[in-house]
Amino acid sequence: MVKQAVKVVVRARPTANFASKNIKIDPLTGTIALNIDKKDEGTVNNQLDSWKFKFDKILQNSSQDEVYEAAAQETVQSVVQGYNGTILCYGQTGAGKTFTMTGSSTNFSYRGVIPRAISQVFREVGNKFDQAITIRMFDLLSPIPTHEQQASHLQIQDDSRGGVAIKNLSMIVCNQEEDALNQLFEGDMNRTVSEHQLNKASSRSHCVFTIHIESRSRVESSDKVLFSKLHLVDLAGSERTKKTGSSGITLKEATFINKSLSFLEQVVIALCDKSRDHVPYRQSKLTNLLRDSLGGNCKTLMIANIWPEPTHLEETVSTLKFATRMMRVSNEAIVNIQLDPHLLIKRYEKEVRDLKQELAMHDTLKNRGRITYDAYSPDQVVDIQKVTQQYLSGQVEEIQDIDSLRKVREIFNQIRNSYRKLKQNVESMQRQIDSDPTAFQKLKQDKLEESKLGGEQVIDDSLGGEQQDSVRRKRKPIDKQTAFIEYKEEGDGRTLEKAIIDYRNEMKDKRQHIKTFTQVINTTKQEMDKIKARLDSKGEEKKAQLRSGGADFQQDFDDDGMGGGNGQIEEIIDEEELMLLKEMKDLKKNYRENYDKLKNLKVEVNDIQSNIDSMKQQLIYNFEGWYADEFEAGGGGEIQMDDSAYNQTVKNQYQKGTLNAFQGDSLFNGGEDVDDDALAFIRAKRKVDTLHKAKKLEKQRPGR
């Protein structure tokens, strides 16, 4: 990533009245020397009267072809390669910005930067046969007429890639050059223009025409995508209303234009000041839209249009000063590469399938055709668990049929689980012995009784009272559901089952409290609504009295010395209103306190439910280990952990009550010969013209 300053090209409008005494242009060195004669007004004038500017390039009396080749061609080329690019025109009204960007649609040779850029993009794309490229056009111009409607219609947001996106913006996929030119001409006809003294067709809006390019390789992996965009910006011209003679709507538009350009200048000044941390991009839609172009990930070119006549020297100086500041703005442009997550997943799934097939072929050649590479089923996990227990207890000397790394991992997992369970049992017994010295003797006696009855377990005293691994005779298998009930009532699962029951009882109590708080909140809200309705009624009564009393009431009011002395009536609250307002204040406080308690109870209930779910999982997990140790292979059935019937009933009541409590909480809140290159341009222009003529005739048709 390399920082690159914004490039600035100055284009001087051709004129017969060139201010040769005041402006000296040197295209070879890219410099402009300018001076303004001071007016003799009888006072000391210390203002600057001469300036010298240097830019990347200066174009004087240049054709549209020369402007595009010198200014825009390189930027458009980089966009096709994956960089973001911006070309914007800036200058005073009448300086030729729109002619530079759009040109004249009546003559192919007079076309501007935008149609030429479109032609270059499609020409470059046509040469990339190894790439699958999609081109989309975004046109900021909206057919909605008024500024108020457009302000709410077009909303700028951040997109998923950290860039800028605009809601409700027209987005068209263009498969050929003619489609893109159709969008250009359609948007150009929607653009607002009006006449003033300096320009017969002055643009009254900023035009942003954006081309988005998405490129995927047809040869290499298609999950790598290149995204790039090209902003082509024709800014509305700054103007001095004394010179333009604007009035009415045109004057209002000029005010908005100058304000918008002022925000743009503030952003540029902030970017030039290295000590500033904040750049005010969000002051206007224009700067927010162009924040990538100014100080972001973009290659930006500015074309500064000037009108080098004696009457426009001050505006020329202002434009050149802004252009100089723009050259101090640095961008960091990088190729925009992104991996398509959907294609990546599909690719990885295919690789997994291929690898499994390759392993299966390898196993078949090695006479190991029984091996599979899918996840173990629950029954298979239980079988591995039994084999592991037999190995750990010494019943078998080694584990047979270790035919895959997957099985090795599962065996180690079962060994770890056995170790954890043994450790928990030892710690539990140690705590019992520490708390009750006679507990071990009692446990020993219980185990001896069990040994007499069932011959299942014997405790040996030969190790100094320490617990030994028991030698267990396994029972005949029974249904898992029956065994689970036994485990919860008589086995090691009693502790967890008791904890689950305690949590359920606690949750039942809290849900009952939630129901109570919900009823209180709903009652409080109803009382608040009644008081608000009463206050509204009192307000309407006051307004009616004022309307009926008229001027006499006003005069009496002032004579009594209760008025403000300026002909306005101060609102007076009577005793009833005062009581109502106090009562409303208390109700709001009560509402908020109960509302907070309700939210806290809801959080506590969710925490309890999470604990119950966790304990259920632990209970079932422990039961599986106990069942494998207790019974021979066999049995079956799925363990069910149904909640008691009251759970769903209380849950429904709680949800219903909570919804009631939160509803309504608004108080807080010609037949000429043409070249092949010009054919798409002329076809698109004729198509748009025909469409607009048809629309105009439709509006003029009688009965509409």
Side-chain angles (χ1 to χ4, degrees), residues 69-304:
E69 291 175 3
Q73 193 171 33
E74 183 180 351
T75 302
V76 176
Q77 177 70 34
S78 65
V79 171
V80 179
Q81 296 171 353
Y83 293 91
N84 293 334
T86 297
I87 302 173
L88 60 89
C89 262
Y90 177 91
Q92 74 172 102
T93 181
K97 298 182 301 302
T98 301
F99 182 79
T100 299
M101 292 302 296
T102 306
S104 172
S105 59
T106 59
N107 193 320
F108 176 73
S109 61
Y110 290 161
R111 69 196 189 283
V113 170
I114 298 179
R116 293 174 186 270
I118 292 173
S119 298
Q120 182 180 352
V121 167
F122 280 90
R123 187 166 56 251
E124 295 289 342
V125 166
N127 294 332
K128 293 181 177 291
F129 301 103
D130 59 337
Q131 299 287 324
I133 300 177
T134 304
I135 299 176
R136 296 179 176 88
M137 300 296 174
F138 291 77
D139 186 3
L140 186 58
L141 290 170
S142 171
I144 298 177
T146 64
H147 301 291
E148 291 79 7
Q149 288 174 307
Q150 288 185 4
S152 60
H153 182 70
L154 300 176
Q155 299 178 5
I156 299 177
Q157 299 176 334
D158 294 336
D159 62 17
S160 59
R161 295 192 292 270
V164 179
I166 305 177
K167 290 182 64 176
N168 304 318
L169 200 63
S170 58
M171 179 184 70
I172 306 296
V173 176
C174 300
N175 298 318
Q176 54 187 357
E177 180 181 347
E178 185 175 342
D179 297 337
L181 291 171
N182 282 334
Q183 300 306 312
L184 168 64
F185 297 139
E186 179 70 17
D188 191 54
M189 288 191 174
N190 289 333
R191 192 176 187 186
T192 303
V193 296
S194 65
E195 180 179 356
H196 55 68
Q197 294 180 8
L198 296 182
N199 194 349
K200 292 183 179 181
S202 175
S203 301
R204 315 308 293 169
S205 62
H206 304 304
C207 170
V208 181
F209 191 88
T210 307
I211 303 174
H212 282 247
I213 302 176
E214 176 182 327
S215 178
R216 302 172 187 266
S217 175
R218 289 193 176 104
V219 180
E220 302 174 355
S221 176
S222 62
D223 51 54
K224 186 174 71 173
V225 187
L226 264 66
F227 292 95
S228 61
K229 61 184 177 182
L230 174 62
H231 284 316
L232 300 165
V233 187
D234 180 11
L235 299 175
S238 61
E239 57 184 80
R240 298 191 177 184
T241 55
K242 291 183 179 180
K243 289 187 176 183
T244 60
S246 301
S247 61
I249 296 178
T250 306
L251 178 60
K252 185 177 180 180
E253 291 171 343
T255 303
F256 282 115
I257 291 170
N258 290 336
K259 185 178 180 180
S260 176
L261 294 175
S262 176
F263 288 141
L264 175 63
E265 188 169 2
Q266 290 177 27
V267 168
V268 173
I269 292 174
L271 289 170
C272 295
D273 187 357
K274 303 302 181 183
S275 62
R276 290 187 58 170
D277 296 329
H278 173 68
V279 180
Y281 288 116
R282 299 184 184 274
Q283 286 190 123
S284 69
K285 284 184 168 62
L286 176 66
T287 54
N288 196 10
L289 176 66
L290 299 179
R291 66 173 183 260
D292 286 339
S293 307
L294 304 172
N297 173 22
C298 189
K299 292 186 176 183
T300 302
L301 167 74
M302 173 179 162
I303 302 177

Side-chain angles (χ1 to χ4, degrees), residues 79 346 538 673:
V79 171
K346 291 182 179 179
K538 293 283 292 183
D673 294 331

